[in-house]
Amino acid sequence: MSEIAATTAHEAYAFACMRCGHGWEQAFEIEHHVDGSNNAFVIYRADGERVPSPLSRPSCSNCGGHVVRIMRAGRVSTVQQLLHNPQPARPAIEDSAAREGEAVAAVPAGAGHHWHLSDLLHPFHRK
């Protein structure tokens, strides 16, 4: 018996491994079906291939770990973009603040913090 998807939704998620810090994103087609007994079920596809639900037990492709944080799409790509294209140093405080006697420290170029994905995941680690 051939089944046709009643509806197909498109979702994307960002994933971050809490074991090794590896981050990735994946888009899914979520097909909602109804079988011959009128029971609803869902099929997930990624890159055209049938895959298990990304919400059930994701695993890290880098280390095989199963402690994976699932986030809205764009979180990992934003961090990766920041890692590859760091922003220039922030400008010094306005002159008016300096006139009021506040110390103004110029940040030397390249002296900013070098971010790693694991730095951004630090708040999610359990102690």
Side-chain angles (χ1 to χ4, degrees):
M1 170 171 151
S2 165
E3 297 178 17
I4 300 172
T7 60
T8 300
H10 299 275
E11 293 284 336
Y13 300 99
F15 302 89
C17 178
M18 299 285 100
R19 182 175 173 200
C20 71
H22 177 65
W24 69 99
E25 296 195 12
Q26 181 68 56
F28 297 90
E29 294 87 36
I30 306 165
E31 301 173 358
H32 296 265
H33 296 269
V34 177
D35 66 12
S37 301
N38 209 27
N39 296 314
F41 66 98
V42 178
I43 295 176
Y44 288 85
R45 295 189 186 277
D47 300 323
E49 299 288 323
R50 188 174 179 166
V51 295
S53 167
L55 307 177
S56 60
R57 187 172 172 163
S59 61
C60 176
S61 61
N62 188 52
C63 72
H66 291 292
V67 181
V68 176
R69 177 144 174 93
I70 304 169
M71 301 167 283
R72 72 175 186 267
R75 301 289 295 246
V76 171
S77 61
T78 300
V79 170
Q80 288 173 339
Q81 183 179 9
L82 289 172
L83 290 173
H84 296 297
N85 302 315
Q87 298 294 322
R90 292 170 46 162
I93 300 174
E94 294 182 26
D95 289 332
S96 63
R99 282 189 296 255
E100 293 174 7
E102 295 180 23
V104 178
V107 178
H113 180 72
H114 182 74
W115 290 97
H116 295 278
L117 182 59
S118 59
D119 293 332
L120 299 171
L121 296 174
H122 182 72
F124 302 114
H125 285 272
R126 292 192 175 127
K127 297 186 186 219

